[in-house]
Amino acid sequence: MESEVLIIGGGGAGLMCALVAGRRGRRVRVLEHANRCGKKILMSGGGRCNFTNTGTTPANFLSANPHFCKSALARFTPAHFVEMVERHGIAYHEKELGQLFCDESSKQIVKMLLDECADAGVRVDTSCSIERIDAIPGGYALQTTLGTLSAPSLVVATGGLSIPSMGATGFGYEIARQFGHAVLPTRAGLVPLTLTGRPLEELAGLSGVSFPVEARCGRTSFRNAMLITHRGLSGPSILQISSYWQPGQPLRLDLLPGRDALEFLGDQQRNRPAAELKTVLGDALPQRFAQRLCEIALNNKPMRQFTPAELKKMAGQLSDWPVVSSGTEGYRTAGVTLGGVDTDGLSSTTMESKLAKGLYFIGEVVDVTGWLGGYNFQWAWASGNAAGLAA
Ligand code: FDA
């Protein structure tokens, strides 16, 4: 066999796996169906690629088996990736909450990975489609637009379903099923929520307004900015909670995060008795939003006229505002795909299939999904490294 390791998918996970296996002296070939590698890296982080998060822990990932990601993450940490970034002279900065971004461009990350692959002797083929995969004695044979290719190790790094226009396909899930793996139901994550009917009408004209909230679903909550859009809600707090929310589940917002709403309203009543509620709220929230709240749900009047019971009720509303979302914007705008290849069928140390020797699944195609903030790339690097050391 001409190659020892064939990798389907030239995204972050595939390239990381390729360079690690290549450094071990393996003959590695990456097969990418798009016309270039790393398209999602290029568009990530607003063109600056949030390439890792220094605070990465297994708790930042969703998976049916929350323990699965531990081993790979422990063996390839954010510091390992930062070491490579620094070795390539790429300037970076921390934006917030441990999120590291390139100062200049995400193109530098793609170039770094491709340079590392070239140094390690990896062959990268773009615009290569795979028509069929068969298990053969001692490995796998692929019918491709570049002819029949075979290798003892086959790594599936085809990513998830988000942003189909960037080359996303469900091919990885098909391969998993072909070799007997379970694929857990997939859905869009890190995705804006849509509103319809009255909830959407109530926010009419506020598109572009942004402010900090705490978004809560079940026992999970995220405190960060929320953005009102012309279709519903977005912004980091909403994108984060979207991965935990499913239609029909209650979703609630604390509109005054970090403050005791009753204490705030009580203080305002004592200190500004003549001020109207909308003015008082307009100091704590964007004025247009505060005014709208008073029009749609709260009773606007001078603070002195509120009874203690009314203040208490209002404090409850402000700190536990229900959101009636109709759904999400779907894969078209999703940052990630939740679900995917069931980790029960994979080794957590090597990412190798327990059912088919020499077959590996890495990156987003696997049922491991990170929060917003560089965690998904860290999973791509870490799982790619794990398979690259084994394949
Ligand atoms: P990825 O999708 O990157 O790569 C899969 C590759 O396989 C693609 O190149 C694709 O073309 C190829 N492929 C698919 N089907 C194929 C087939 N049949 N044959 C051959 N090749 C095939 N994360 C983060 O940590 N920080 C960030 O800043 C961002 N920003 C961001 C922005 C946007 C707009 C999106 C959509 C996503 C992010 N993410 C992110 C998430 C992150 O991009 C994602 O989790 C990783 O790219 C996943 O890496 P993979 O290599 O697993 O898949």
Side-chain angles (χ1 to χ4, degrees):
M1 295 183 198
E2 173 221 348
S3 304
E4 288 169 311
V5 183
L6 285 173
I7 300 176
I8 307 179
L15 293 178
M16 176 57 80
C17 178
L19 70 89
V20 171
R23 278 187 207 147
R24 287 170 55 235
R26 294 284 189 267
R27 289 193 308 277
V28 184
R29 190 161 174 182
V30 176
L31 307 174
E32 166 59 54
H33 75 156
N35 58 358
R36 63 192 295 183
C37 287
K39 283 193 175 183
K40 267 199 197 160
I41 301 177
L42 293 176
M43 74 187 299
S44 70
R48 293 221 162 88
C49 188
N50 177 194
F51 54 79
T52 191
N53 192 298
T54 56
T56 303
T57 71
N60 306 117
F61 296 85
L62 294 88
S63 171
N65 176 0
H67 303 292
F68 180 81
C69 62
K70 288 181 177 173
S71 167
L73 290 174
R75 281 176 302 134
F76 193 86
T77 66
H80 288 108
F81 195 77
V82 167
E83 183 276 319
M84 197 192 300
V85 167
E86 289 180 350
R87 188 154 42 77
H88 284 256
I90 300 174
Y92 64 92
H93 60 278
E94 179 177 336
K95 196 170 160 199
E96 55 164 1
L97 309 168
Q99 302 168 7
L100 302 189
F101 285 77
C102 297
D103 285 358
E104 282 172 35
S105 166
S106 42
K107 284 183 196 157
Q108 295 171 291
I109 299 292
V110 177
K111 180 173 184 304
M112 173 186 85
L113 295 170
L114 289 173
D115 286 352
E116 289 273 336
C117 281
D119 280 355
V122 173
R123 174 168 175 183
V124 178
D125 288 297
T126 53
S127 304
C128 170
S129 295
I130 293 125
E131 280 132 24
R132 188 193 153 108
I133 300 175
D134 292 296
I136 56 171
Y140 298 88
L142 278 58
Q143 307 304 322
T144 80
T145 44
L146 298 174
T148 302
L149 307 173
S150 56
S153 291
L154 176 64
V155 182
V156 180
T158 47
L161 296 168
S162 46
I163 323 276
S165 56
M166 285 289 118
T169 68
F171 191 51
Y173 309 126
E174 284 171 38
I175 303 172
R177 288 194 193 97
Q178 180 187 341
F179 290 95
H181 282 267
V183 176
L184 300 179
T186 55
R187 64 191 168 88
L190 300 181
V191 63
L193 299 179
T194 52
L195 304 173
T196 48
R198 190 152 161 222
L200 185 62
E201 285 158 22
E202 287 175 345
L203 297 179
L206 294 182
S207 162
V209 172
S210 166
F211 54 98
V213 301
E214 185 170 295
R216 302 191 194 115
C217 181
R219 277 193 267 170
T220 309
S221 66
F222 292 95
R223 189 184 295 182
N224 209 319
M226 176 178 85
L227 171 72
I228 300 175
T229 72
H230 62 283
R231 302 185 65 191
L233 301 174
S234 187
S237 60
I238 296 296
L239 298 177
Q240 296 279 34
I241 208 71
S242 74
S243 296
Y244 289 83
W245 176 82
Q246 300 219 43
Q249 273 186 302
L251 175 62
R252 309 190 85 87
L253 302 177
D254 184 344
L255 299 174
L256 298 175
R259 289 194 197 195
D260 181 321
L262 186 57
E263 206 176 284
F264 169 73
L265 293 171
D267 285 349
Q268 298 294 318
Q269 190 176 49
R270 266 188 304 282
N271 300 333
R272 307 163 73 186
E276 290 193 346
L277 175 67
K278 68 177 182 196
T279 312
V280 162
L281 284 182
D283 288 348
L285 292 164
Q287 275 180 3
R288 286 159 63 205
F289 181 73
Q291 172 144 7
R292 189 64 57 84
L293 275 186
C294 292
E295 287 161 16
I296 60 175
L298 306 176
N299 186 9
N300 186 48
K301 56 185 177 180
M303 290 305 290
R304 75 161 83 81
Q305 293 179 15
F306 285 98
T307 65
E310 283 175 322
L311 281 193
K312 194 168 171 205
K313 182 177 168 216
M314 197 156 57
Q317 286 173 289
L318 289 170
S319 57
D320 201 28
W321 194 270
V323 174
V324 185
S325 169
S326 50
T328 75
E329 288 191 4
Y331 293 119
R332 190 180 58 82
T333 59
V336 281
T337 302
L338 292 150
V341 179
D342 190 351
T343 59
D344 273 1
L346 304 177
S347 154
S348 62
T349 22
T350 61
M351 306 291 134
E352 187 176 10
S353 162
K354 291 176 184 169
L355 310 175
K357 191 172 161 16
L359 179 65
Y360 298 77
F361 292 88
I362 57 172
E364 199 178 318
V365 74
V366 178
D367 171 38
V368 173
T369 307
W371 290 2
L372 182 80
Y375 303 101
N376 284 297
F377 279 134
Q378 188 56 35
W379 171 247
W381 318 138
S383 58
N385 175 69
L389 288 174

